[in-house]
Each structure stands twice: as structure tokens, then as C-alpha cells.
């Protein structure tokens, strides 16, 4: 029904009456416009205030993580140094300083003051307690006062040291005045210490008893609080917020950690907490000034007021021409509700749904064309009937009636024919010809919601199989962990197809895709209601089975394995049998994390592959599993280091022990030693990652990187440049068994123009005798080209002397275990003497490894050993082209 049918007929007025009415109408329009502007400005201000409060909460939420970052960096630096002690606990000030230079702790840790090592001295402290006296400090300049300081004189320090030792975790001290800055302002002189226990040489201790037995001291990093926290919190947190940090576990006089500046009195604070190293820090934040952005509000007020005044002036211009004034009034009436006819002119053209309802009975008195097309015959119908949810509609109309507006929300709108669609709707109370009405404006959002849902589905599902992808699977697993308390256990299955790469390589990726589709179709038939199957990667799947015990989970996993095994895939005349290795983890206890579960499932799956594939293995926490998980982590870190060119080379000189003779080789001889640099700058020795590289088949790639990089930068390995007499490179057993190794080495020698006579390739005795025929063939080919061959770790095997006559080698390197015990073990002396005599009878050079004392040197010279290698003769140094001042000159080998 047309809107005007519900309105009384307007009386006709003369030209004079219209002119006299113009000022009144202009004033009315201006007042309505200013009122409308005030409503808009208020809404804008409320939104700006909500945004400001959200920003304050966001800054407060971010502050603990920002404070924690420098503490974590300090702990990582200590952990790296702890690893050094585990591999070599024979330390002195010079070696300690050298490692600290390599770790670049000063650059990595904000607020860094010093790193120190405190030796544990049983019985040297307070009665019944050990002393922990600082022995090594870096940098020494400015920190001399720390040497000899016993950090165990304070009971709370001793308790923290014991807790850190037992947990092998960092401990954080309470704030205290730093001795090095006693002349500074009180806030500038305050600092903290992060400590970590140090254990004797060997594997990382895993139990409290072993940790206590092997404790030899503690490492510490001291930090200045003011610069550390200023840099950690710089930016919007300190720009927009007052901040106070207190240590909840410290004595009242020590509790103050940081205060940004004068704090507001009586204002409510945002309070957050940060836990680290056994201590709790409380962060209290206040906004510095009002963070409400009033620019938009002022803009609305200015624009609305201007428009209102201009509209009033336009109304006054009616006095010139009644016809012109009436035309102008029709165009402007939709904004200010002057008359029903002019209200319709503009709204009929709008694509949005516009409806006007009487505020007393709630019935629609006007609907524009878009509303009539979407909703059918709406005039006369109750406005409430358009809401698919009557309760929501009632709240919306009540809010509009009481507050004057109901903010835009997504609602389901019901059409006359029973159909419904999603729309973004808003309601406002307006005055039309002196009567109160409810104005509803809505926009159809059905297509937008469908597009959003489609994008959400695509983001959470694999495009090929339509299964959940890894991201969605991990999200659902995280949800299951968060809601696990009090619920039945569930199982995580990690399914890895066996030999899937073979199908891809033989028949192409299209065949592989088709196989995956068929497998997923078969696996879906074996799922129970509520189970979640997802594709985690190329040929990897995950399955969450809820409300199962161990027996049910094993039965489900075995059924899934048989299902996959039963798929016979045929492609272009070829048939393929498929199988899968499945790792299973039972989630039946609290405290598990997403990372833990995925790592455990991957470890169990790897165990299934090691046991022969096509089987199910359940994860069990034991020493072998722990070692395997650690090796898997190191294998991944090594892969990333290879990809990011983060492997390093050190050299150690091999020094002549006897006066020069006619057969001696003049010049400098070195052996290259491999290191791995983490992204944070931590450098690890090969003992940390080589076992994982050997287990996961990465050694051929590592060896090729070392060979290619060394030959490409041969003149930049050692200060003597291209005059280097011999450069020794270690070869692994996996590389020796690589048929293309000799071609790769000889090709690199030719490509970079390095004389083959300057290259010595070291092969361990155990590798040499494991596959004698193949090793001899490789050795003879490389020796024919001019390379020298060294037999490393000689004497460690069971039949060393018997195999020696069959191996074409030039150098024998005596296993370091015999050299290390040379001064105290007569048997070691006899073995070294025998090796030297037999080696010389065969015309070979004899090298002793692990030479670490003057007495050992004297015995080696007495026995006629030609060369020595060890810390007493030369400590490893970084090759020239990888040093900070020479890195640009080095060339990376792809």
C-alpha cells in the first residue's frame, strides 16, 4: 500500500503562506540535522572509545611477551654455553672468552653486562654448603670485581641454584644493584641475573640424581634492567602507556623492577603477569592520555553542522521561487523526514531495503522498491514478522524505541513466501510529520556470507581430497586438548604411506593424486562417527579418534592399515600395492601439548618404518624414543641449516713433531672441522648433530657441502692462502658408498683449479673395513688423481693391523683414546708404538690425535710419531672467508 495512503491530505497554502513558512521550515530542518549529527557524533565517539579500550588491552596483553624476550635470549645463550661444557668441560679464561665471542651474546641479549661461570666447590662455603665462586668472566674489562665472588653466600641464591640444577632450567634472580654501576642513578644501576647449571662432560643428564652427581658449577648472565626493558618495550607500549613492573617474589625493598615515569594516582590499571625462571613479575599499565581518537567525531560534527546550516539556507531560498523551493524540498526530504512524497523519491532508488513502521503498533507503513522485491507485500505487516528470530526482533525494536537506534547486526530476515536470507540491518527512531516511526535499513549479505563460508572451507580443507588440512587438524587437536579435562581419552594416528614417492616418480604426479583420492575414499569407509581424518602433507594423514581406550585405538589403527593395504591401484597398465606405517599416541593424561603429540606420533611412525613398514607402532616414552625424537629435531635443524647456508668450517693445524727430514712435507697442514650455527647465532659442535645426520641419511649432502665450499674458497681457508700444503676433509660411510662421490670430488677439484696433491680425504677405519672392496676402489681412483688418503681413528677397529696391508692409504691417524691415556696406560703406549713402527715400515705418515699435554708430546716424539693434532698445539679457528671481516669474499656452493 503506498505510503501516502496512510497520511492525511496536506492542506493547500498560498504563495504568501509558503514564503512565511520558509523560515520556520529552515529552522526545523537545521534542528533536525543538528540532532541527527549529534546522534552520529555520539555513536562515533562511543566506537572510538571502545577501540581505544581494545588497544589498551592489546598493548597490555603484548607487554609480558615483550618483557620475556630478552630473558629467553639470555637463557638461550646460557644453554648454548652449557652445551659447550657438555662436550668439553676443560675450560680456562681464554677458551671461555673465545666461545663468548663466537656466541655474540653482547649483540643477541639486550641489556647484557657480563657472562660468568661459577665453579662449584664442595665444602668451601657456609657450613654444610658448597661455594659457587666466579672463575671465568666475559668481558673481563669492567667486571673484574666478579672474579672470586661466592654467589652462594645468600640463602635465596643457593636455593635458586639448587632448583635450577635439579630441573636443568634457567633461574632468575630478584632485582639488585649491579656492582659495575655503583656510581650510576639507582634505576640505571639495577639489574638481574639469569643462571643455568653446568654439568660435567657427557650426554645431557635426564634425571635429578644424575644432575646432582654431575653438577660442576653454574653459568650466569647479568642484565641491566633499564636498557633491557626500555628496548624490549619501545614503541606503542611505552609511548601510550605508563608501566610499572614489580617482582612478586622479592622482598619489598627489592620488588621494583621498572617504572616508566610518574604513575597516575587512583586510576584503574591493566594488570598482567609474566613468569620466568621461578619468579613472578606483575606488570601494571595505565594509559598516558586519553587514547580516544576524536578526529572522526569532530569530523562528523563539523560536516553534519555544515550540512544542516547549508540545508537551512537552502530552505530560506524558497522565498525567491516557490516552485524551486518545492523541488529542492523533495530532493532533501529523505534525510530529514519533511514529507512522505519526498521521502519516497530518493529511497525508491536505493539498492538497500528501507522500511518505515509506526512506532506505536509496529506495522510497516512504507517499503521501498528493493524491500518489496525481497520481502513481497510488506506494508501493513508487523515489522517484527520480518525477523526470523522474533526475540532478536523484539530486542532490536525496543532498543530503537528506547535509545533511538539499534546498531547494525547480521540477522536472518523472513520474506512473505517463507524464504529467509541474511541481511545487515539497523533500526532508528525518526519523526515523520510529527509522528514517531521506526526506520529500518537492511542490506542483503547472502552472497557475501556464502563467499566467506566458501573461503573459510577452502582455508581449512585440502583441495584434492576434501579432507581437513594440517592447519585445521592442528586447530581441532588443540581444541580437543583444551577440553580434555574429565573426558574419555582419545587417540592420535599419524599415517605415512610407504613408497609413495616411487609411484610419483614412475607414473607421474597425476597418478599419485588419483591414488590419494582412492585411498581417502577407502579410509572414509572405516571411520566411526566423530572421527576426524585429515591430510597433513603429500602422503601423510592424521586421524583423531575420540572416546577410545588403547585396545579400541589399536584395533582402529590396524583396521586402517589393512584398509590401505587392500587398495590395489592400477594406472596405465601398471598395478601398485600400497601400504602405510602408522604411529599411534594415546592422549590419556593432562599436560600434553600440540607440539609434543605431533612429535610423539611422528616418532612412533618412524619406528614403524624402521621395523619394516606396513605396521602400527604405539608411542612409548623410553630412552630410545627420547633419543630418536632428539635426533629427528636435529635432522630438521640440519636441513634448515643446509638450506640457509648456516654451516660453518673451522680449521685445526696438524703440527710436525719431529725435525724436518727428507720425506717430510714442508708447509702448513690443516683439518677442516664442521660447525652448525643456529638462527640466533648459537654455534654447535658436530657431536650434537652428526648422529642425527647419519641416522637420517643427511651425511652425503653435508659432505658434499664441505667439499664444494672448501674447494671453492681454498685460498681463503687459512692465512697462508693457496700455499696451504694439505687440507684434510672427513668423509662419512654413507658418502663412501655413494657411487658418484669420486666424480663429484674430482669435478670440484678441476672446476676450482685446486691441485689434487693438496687435498687429503680422511676415512675412519670402521668405515673402511665395513665395505672393503668399494672403499678400496674409491681410494685408488682418488689417489690416482693425486689426492692423499688418511685412515682416521686407527686402532678403534677389531682387526686394524690385518686390514692395513690391503688399504691404499698415505696417512694413519691414531685413535685419540690411545693418545689421551698415553702417559698413564702402558697398553696405550705399546699400541701407539706399534702403530708408528708398522706405519713407517709401510712408508706412511703417522698422526696422533687429541694431544693435550707436554708430557704426551714428549712421549709421541720419543715413539717417532710424525705429526700431532690437539688443543695444546693449535686450537680450532674459523676459516678466513667465514669470519666477519672476510665473509663477503666467500662463495656459496649450491
Amino acid at each position: 500500500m503506498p505510503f501516502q495512503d496512510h497520511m492525511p491530505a496536506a492542506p493547500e497554502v498560498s504563495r504568501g503562506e509558503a514564503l512565511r513558512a520558509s523560515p520556520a521550515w529552515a529552522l526545523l530542518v537545521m534542528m533536525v540535522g543538528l540532532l541527527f549529527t549529534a546522534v552520529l557524533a555520539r555513536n562515533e565517539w562511543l566506537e572510538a572509545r571502545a577501540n581505544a579500550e581494545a588497544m589498551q588491552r592489546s598493548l597490555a596483553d603484548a607487554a609480558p611477551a615483550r618483557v620475556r624476550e630478552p630473558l629467553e635470549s639470555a637463557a638461550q645463550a646460557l644453554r648454548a654455553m652449557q652445551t659447550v661444557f657438555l662436550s668439553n668441560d676443560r675450560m680456562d679464561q681464554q677458551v671461555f672468552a673465545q666461545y663468548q665471542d663466537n656466541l655474540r651474546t653482547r649483540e643477541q641479549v639486550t641489556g647484557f653486562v657480563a657472562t660468568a661461570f661459577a665453579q662449584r666447590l664442595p665444602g668451601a662455603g657456609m657450613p654444610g654448603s658448597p661455594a659457587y665462586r666466579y672463575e671465568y668472566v666475559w668481558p673481563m674489562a669492567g667486571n673484574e670485581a666478579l672474579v672470586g665472588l661466592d654467589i652462594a653466600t645468600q640463602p635465596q641464591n643457593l636455593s635458586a641454584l639448587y632448583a635450577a640444577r635439579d630441573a636443568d632450567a634457567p633461574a632468575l634472580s630478584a632485582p639488585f644493584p649491579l656492582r659495575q654501576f655503583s656510581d650510576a642513578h639507582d634505576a640505571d644501576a639495577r639489574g638481574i641475573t639469569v643462571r643455568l647449571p653446568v654439568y660435567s662432560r657427557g650426554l645431557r643428564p635426564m634425571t635429578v640424581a644424575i644432575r646432582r652427581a654431575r653438577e660442576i658449577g653454574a653459568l650466569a648472565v647479568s642484565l641491566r634492567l633499564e636498557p633491557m626493558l626500555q628496548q624490549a618495550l619501545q614503541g606503542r607500549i611505552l609511548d601510550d602507556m605508563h608501566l610499572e613492573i614489580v617482582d612478586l617474589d622479592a622482598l619489598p625493598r627489592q620488588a621494583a623492577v621498572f617504572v616508566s615515569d610518574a604513575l597516575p594516582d587512583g586510576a584503574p590499571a591493566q594488570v598482567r603477569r609474566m613468569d620466568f625462571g621461578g619468579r613472578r613479575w606483575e606488570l601494571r599499565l595505565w594509559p598516558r592520555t586519553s587514547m580516544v581518537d576524536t578526529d572522526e567525531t569532530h569530523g562528523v560534527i563539523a560536516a553534519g553542522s555544515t550540512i544542516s546550516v547549508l540545508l537551512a539556507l537552502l530552505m530560506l531560498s524558497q522565498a525567491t521561487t516557490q516552485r524551486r523551493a518545492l523541488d529542492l524540498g523533495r530532493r532533501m526530504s529523505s534525510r530529514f523526514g519533511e514529507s512522505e512524497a519526498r521521502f519516497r523519491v530518493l529511497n525508491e532508488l536505493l539498492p538497500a531495503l528501507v522500511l518505515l513502521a509506526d512506532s506505536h503498533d509496529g506495522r510497516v507503513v512504507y517499503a521501498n522498491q528493493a524491500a518489496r522485491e525481497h520481502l513481497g507485500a510488506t506494508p501493513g505487516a508487523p515489522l517484527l514478522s520480518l525477523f526470523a528470530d522474533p526475540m532478536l526482533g523484539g530486542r532490536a525494536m525496543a532498543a530503537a524505541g528506547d535509545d533511538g537506534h539499534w546498531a547494525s547486526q547480521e540477522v536472518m530476515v523472513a520474506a512473505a513466501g517463507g524464504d529467509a536470507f541474511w541481511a545487515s540491518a539497523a533500526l532508528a527512531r525518526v519523526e515523520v510529520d510529527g509522528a514517531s516511526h521506526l526506520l529500518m535499513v537492511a542490506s542483503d549479505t547472502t552472497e557475501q556470507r556464502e563467499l566467506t563460508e566458501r573461503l573459510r572451507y577452502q582455508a581449512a580443507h585440502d583441495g584434492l581430497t576434501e579432507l581437513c588440512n594440517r592447519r585445521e587438524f592442528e586447530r581441532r587437536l588443540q581444541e580437543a586438548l583444551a577440553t580434555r579435562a574429565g573426558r574419555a581419552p582419545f587417540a592420535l594416528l599419524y599415517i605415512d604411506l610407504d613408497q609413495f614417492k616411487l609411484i610419483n616418480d614412475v607414473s607421474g604426479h597425476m597418478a599419485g593424486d588419483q591414488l590419494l583420492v582412492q585411498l581417502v575414499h577407502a579410509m572414509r569407509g572405516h571411520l566411526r562417527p566423530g572421527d576426524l581424518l585429515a591430510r597433513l602433507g603429500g602422503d601423510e594423514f592424521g586421524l583423531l579418534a575420540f572416546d577410545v581406550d588403547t585396545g579400541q585405538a589399536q584395533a582402529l589403527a590396524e583396521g586402517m592399515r589393512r584398509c590401505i593395504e587392500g587398495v590395489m591401484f592400477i594406472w596405465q597398465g601398471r598395478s601398485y600395492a600400497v601400504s602405510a606405517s602408522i604411529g599411534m599416541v594415546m592422549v590419556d593424561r593432562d599436560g600434553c601439548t600440540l607440539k609434543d603429540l605431533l612429535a610423539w606420533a611422528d616418532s612412533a611412525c618412524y619406528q614403524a618404518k624402521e621395523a619394516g613398514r606396513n605396521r602400527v607402532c604405539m608411542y612409548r616414552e623410553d630412552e630410545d624414543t627420547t633419543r630418536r625424537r632428539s635426533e629427528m629435531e636435529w635432522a630438521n635443524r640440519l636441513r634448515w641449516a643446509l638450506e640457509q647456508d648456516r654451516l660453518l668450517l673451522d680449521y685445526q693445524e696438524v703440527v710436525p713433531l719431529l725435525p724436518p727430514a727428507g720425506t717430510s712435507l714442508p708447509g702448513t697442514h690443516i683439518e677442516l672441522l664442521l660447525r652448525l650455527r643456529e638462527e640466533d647465532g648459537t654455534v654447535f659442535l658436530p657431536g650434537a648433530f652428526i648422529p642425527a645426520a647419519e641416522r637420517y641419511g643427511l651425511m652425503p649432502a653435508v659432505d658434499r657441502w664441505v667439499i664444494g665450499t672448501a674447494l671453492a674458497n681454498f685460498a681463503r681457508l687459512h692465512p697462508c692462502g693457496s700455499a696451504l700444503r694439505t687440507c684434510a676433509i672427513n668423509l662419512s660411510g654413507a658418502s663412501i658408498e655413494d657411487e658418484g662421490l669420486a666424480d663429484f670430488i674430482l669435478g670440484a677439484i678441476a672446476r676450482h683449479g685446486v691441485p689434487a696433491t693438496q687435498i687429503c680425504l680422511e676415512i675412519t677405519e670402521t668405515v673402511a673395513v665395513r665395505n672393503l672392496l668399494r672403499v678400496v676402489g674409491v681410494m685408488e681412483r682418488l689417489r690416482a688423481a693425486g689426492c692423499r688418503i688418511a685412515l682416521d681413528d686407527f686402532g678403534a677397529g677389531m682387526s686394524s693391523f690385518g686390514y692395513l696391508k690391503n688399504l691404499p692409504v698415505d696417512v694413519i691417524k691414531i685413535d685419540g683414546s690411545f693418545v689421551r691415556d698415553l702417559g698413564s696406560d702402558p697398553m696405550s703406549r705399546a699400541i701407539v708404538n706399534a702403530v708408528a713402527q708398522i706405519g713407517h715400515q709401510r712408508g706412511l705418515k703417522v698422526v696422533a690425535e687429541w694431544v693435550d699435554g707436554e708430557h704426551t708430546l714428549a712421549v709421541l716424539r720419543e715413539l717417532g710419531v710424525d705429526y700431532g693434532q690437539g688443543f695444546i698445539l693449535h686450537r680450532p679457528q674459523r676459516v678466513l672467508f667465514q669470519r666477519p671481516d672476510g665473509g663477503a669474499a666467500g662463495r656459496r656452493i649450491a
Side-chain angles (χ1 to χ4, degrees):
M1 182 180 294
F3 175 69
Q4 62 265 30
D5 293 347
H6 296 270
M7 301 297 294
E12 295 187 5
V13 294
S14 66
R15 177 184 178 87
E17 291 172 335
L19 290 175
R20 286 193 298 272
S22 295
W25 277 113
L27 181 60
L28 176 61
V29 168
M30 185 173 68
M31 293 301 295
V32 171
L34 292 176
L35 180 61
F36 187 68
T37 298
V39 171
L40 290 179
R42 181 177 180 274
N43 292 341
E44 189 66 38
W45 183 83
L46 290 174
E47 183 178 355
R49 186 177 68 176
N51 291 338
E53 292 173 351
M55 176 58 72
Q56 293 171 15
R57 291 193 297 271
S58 176
L59 293 175
D61 291 340
R66 297 276 290 274
V67 170
R68 190 182 183 88
E69 286 178 1
L71 300 178
E72 291 283 7
S73 297
Q76 290 176 8
L78 293 178
R79 187 68 73 183
M81 198 61 202
Q82 183 196 59
T83 304
V84 172
F85 274 90
L86 290 174
S87 62
N88 176 26
D89 55 9
R90 299 180 180 180
M91 192 68 62
D92 57 31
Q93 177 63 36
Q94 181 181 357
V95 176
F96 186 84
Q98 182 180 356
Y99 276 113
Q100 292 303 313
D101 281 329
N102 291 337
L103 290 173
R104 298 186 298 172
T105 311
R106 193 201 305 267
E107 303 169 19
Q108 301 291 337
V109 180
T110 307
F112 173 82
V113 176
T115 300
F117 167 72
Q119 180 78 36
R120 181 178 185 273
L121 302 172
M126 300 174 63
S129 299
Y132 288 83
R133 294 199 181 104
Y134 285 128
E135 289 197 6
Y136 314 130
V137 179
W138 183 87
M140 182 62 75
N143 297 299
E144 296 86 353
L146 296 179
V147 178
L149 178 67
D150 184 4
I151 59 177
T153 54
Q154 296 183 358
Q156 60 182 15
N157 280 349
L158 191 60
S159 298
L161 283 171
Y162 287 162
R165 173 201 63 193
D166 290 349
D168 189 16
L172 181 64
S173 74
F176 63 95
L178 293 167
R179 292 191 174 193
Q180 301 93 321
F181 305 96
S182 57
D183 297 331
H185 183 269
D186 181 65
D188 292 338
R190 292 181 66 78
I192 53 173
T193 298
V194 181
R195 295 191 177 94
L196 192 69
V198 176
Y199 306 106
S200 60
R201 180 178 178 179
L203 296 176
R204 188 172 174 180
M206 303 305 293
T207 66
V208 173
I210 297 176
R211 289 167 183 160
R212 291 178 177 178
R214 290 180 50 196
E215 183 198 23
I216 61 174
L219 286 162
V221 169
S222 56
L223 308 169
R224 290 179 70 185
L225 285 170
E226 187 72 12
M228 181 189 84
L229 294 173
Q230 284 284 358
Q231 184 166 340
L233 298 167
Q234 66 179 348
R236 295 211 60 174
I237 294 178
L238 290 182
D239 291 344
D240 295 340
M241 307 290 282
H242 294 286
L243 175 63
E244 180 185 29
I245 304 177
V246 295
D247 188 334
L248 299 178
D249 300 304
L251 298 174
R253 57 187 176 83
Q254 293 181 293
V257 176
F258 178 81
V259 179
S260 58
D261 44 28
L263 302 176
D265 295 329
Q270 299 270 355
V271 179
R272 300 293 186 270
R273 209 177 88 177
M274 191 280 299
D275 296 347
F276 183 86
R279 306 196 74 83
R280 300 169 300 154
W281 285 5
E282 186 176 88
L283 288 74
R284 305 164 186 165
L285 301 99
W286 298 263
R288 288 186 177 273
T289 58
S290 175
M291 296 175 64
V292 178
D293 184 2
T294 58
D295 291 344
E296 292 289 337
T297 305
H298 294 157
V300 169
I301 294 173
S305 301
T306 302
I307 293 173
S308 300
V309 172
L310 290 176
L311 288 175
L313 293 175
L314 287 174
M315 293 297 295
L316 287 174
S317 68
Q318 290 178 337
T320 58
T321 304
Q322 183 180 20
R323 183 183 184 88
R324 185 177 176 186
L326 293 174
D327 291 341
L328 180 61
R330 292 189 186 96
R331 290 195 301 270
M332 304 302 297
S333 61
S334 63
R335 296 182 71 180
F336 301 97
E338 182 180 339
S339 72
E340 73 281 11
R342 285 171 289 181
F343 180 84
R344 292 183 57 194
V345 170
L346 182 59
N347 285 291
E348 286 294 311
L349 303 176
L350 292 177
L353 285 65
V354 180
L355 301 103
L356 196 68
D358 190 295
S359 61
H360 298 295
D361 60 12
R363 293 190 176 274
V364 177
V365 297
Y366 168 75
N368 71 346
Q369 181 178 351
R372 295 194 298 273
E373 290 177 352
H374 278 77
L375 305 175
T378 52
L383 185 64
L384 184 62
S385 66
L386 300 181
F387 289 85
D389 182 354
M391 294 184 65
L392 176 61
R395 291 197 300 269
M397 294 177 64
D402 296 339
D403 301 334
H405 73 282
W406 179 68
S408 177
Q409 291 189 24
E410 290 279 320
V411 298
M412 183 71 78
V413 177
D419 297 332
F421 60 91
W422 284 99
S424 176
L427 270 73
R429 188 179 67 238
V430 296
E431 298 288 332
V432 178
D433 285 352
S436 177
H437 290 76
L438 293 178
L439 176 66
M440 177 176 175
V441 179
S443 300
D444 188 349
T445 60
T446 302
E447 292 184 0
Q448 180 181 348
R449 287 181 67 90
E450 290 177 351
L451 176 61
T452 301
E453 289 297 324
R454 186 159 60 249
L455 292 175
R456 185 179 293 116
Y457 179 88
Q458 292 174 354
H461 290 77
D462 172 56
L464 176 66
T465 62
E466 298 298 318
L467 295 176
C468 290
N469 58 19
R470 188 181 195 97
R471 178 181 179 184
E472 178 66 10
F473 183 81
E474 291 182 354
R475 185 187 70 80
R476 299 278 289 274
L477 177 55
Q478 188 69 61
E479 283 184 357
L481 288 174
T483 59
R484 208 203 74 78
R487 296 180 56 183
F490 64 94
L492 166 64
L493 273 60
Y494 191 93
I495 305 168
D496 193 350
L497 301 181
D498 299 327
Q499 307 296 347
F500 178 77
K501 185 176 182 297
L502 177 64
I503 298 175
N504 269 341
D505 293 343
V506 173
S507 297
H509 290 282
M510 186 177 296
D513 289 348
Q514 186 60 35
L515 170 60
L516 291 176
V517 172
Q518 291 187 21
L519 285 173
V520 168
H521 179 74
M523 287 190 287
R524 275 182 168 141
H526 284 73
L527 297 178
R528 308 169 309 145
D531 290 347
L532 176 67
L533 180 65
R535 185 185 180 194
L536 306 183
D539 59 347
E540 301 167 354
F541 297 87
L543 174 61
L544 287 180
F546 297 97
D547 300 327
V548 293
D549 57 25
T550 301
Q552 292 169 326
Q554 287 181 328
L556 178 63
E558 187 61 28
M560 193 63 71
R561 185 198 64 79
R562 288 196 300 267
C563 164
I564 296 172
E565 187 182 30
V567 174
M568 181 59 67
F569 179 63
I570 300 176
W571 182 265
Q572 294 180 350
R574 287 193 177 99
S575 61
Y576 298 93
V578 188
S579 64
S581 300
I582 301 178
M584 187 181 80
V585 178
M586 285 301 301
V587 186
D588 52 7
R589 66 180 187 272
D590 297 329
C592 302
T593 66
L594 173 68
K595 182 179 178 181
D596 290 337
L597 291 179
L598 293 176
W600 295 343
D602 188 42
S603 177
C605 183
Y606 184 84
Q607 189 175 357
K609 286 189 176 294
E610 272 194 331
R613 298 188 174 92
N614 192 25
R615 65 194 64 228
V616 177
C617 280
M618 182 176 175
Y619 175 82
R620 290 180 175 83
E621 188 68 42
D622 53 27
E623 183 177 349
D624 186 57
T625 302
T626 302
R627 175 187 55 78
R628 184 181 293 107
R629 187 168 69 249
S630 175
E631 287 180 348
M632 290 172 65
E633 293 174 356
W634 270 114
N636 288 329
R637 292 160 75 174
L638 181 56
R639 289 190 186 97
W640 296 332
L642 280 167
E643 292 176 0
Q644 299 171 10
D645 199 29
R646 287 191 283 104
L647 294 182
L648 303 174
L649 294 175
D650 284 3
Y651 68 83
Q652 187 175 36
E653 294 182 359
V654 182
V655 180
L657 302 181
L658 303 176
T663 58
S664 64
L665 298 173
T668 302
H669 309 270
I670 65 170
E671 179 183 353
L672 292 181
L673 308 173
L674 187 62
R675 307 286 186 259
L676 184 149
R677 177 174 56 83
E678 286 281 40
E679 293 176 332
D680 63 358
T682 305
V683 177
F684 288 94
L685 300 176
F689 56 87
I690 289 299
E694 292 174 338
R695 186 177 190 86
Y696 287 88
L698 298 177
M699 283 310 301
V702 172
D703 286 347
R704 290 188 179 221
W705 181 90
V706 174
I707 294 166
T709 303
L711 294 179
N713 300 279
F714 192 81
R716 291 179 289 276
L717 297 175
H718 188 273
C720 68
S722 57
L724 185 65
R725 182 63 187 87
T726 306
C727 173
I729 301 173
N730 290 278
L731 297 179
S732 65
S735 293
I736 287 293
E737 294 172 358
D738 180 1
E739 296 180 356
L741 175 68
D743 291 332
F744 176 81
I745 295 174
L746 297 178
I749 289 174
R751 185 164 57 254
H752 299 295
V754 178
T757 54
Q758 293 177 257
I759 304 299
C760 179
L761 300 165
E762 295 190 4
I763 304 169
T764 63
E765 177 197 350
T766 52
V767 168
V769 301
R770 188 173 64 194
N771 195 342
L772 190 62
L773 292 178
R774 174 170 289 184
V775 171
V776 168
V778 174
M779 287 181 172
E780 289 178 341
R781 186 175 174 196
L782 293 173
R783 289 187 79 219
C787 297
R788 296 168 58 77
I789 304 296
L791 193 61
D792 200 7
D793 297 339
F794 187 78
M798 299 296 293
S799 306
S800 303
F801 296 110
Y803 281 104
L804 185 58
K805 63 182 180 179
N806 298 317
L807 294 171
V809 298
D810 304 281
V811 179
I812 298 175
K813 300 190 74 172
I814 304 173
D815 186 69
S817 61
F818 302 117
V819 178
R820 180 184 57 198
D821 301 331
L822 193 57
S824 58
D825 182 12
M827 180 61 71
S828 295
R829 180 185 178 109
I831 292 174
V832 172
N833 183 42
V835 172
Q837 291 185 23
I838 293 174
H840 291 154
Q841 287 178 1
R842 289 210 55 206
L844 308 178
K845 294 299 177 183
V846 180
V847 180
E849 299 180 297
W850 296 11
V851 181
D852 59 1
E854 292 292 345
H855 177 69
T856 302
L857 273 176
V859 175
L860 290 172
R861 290 190 176 105
E862 179 185 341
L863 297 178
V865 175
D866 302 296
Y867 294 87
Q869 184 178 352
F871 273 20
I872 194 174
L873 298 171
H874 181 260
R875 291 187 176 274
Q877 292 179 272
R878 187 62 34 80
V879 293
L880 295 186
F881 74 89
Q882 287 185 332
R883 295 180 186 179
D885 56 348
R891 288 181 287 168
R892 182 177 184 270
I893 301 302

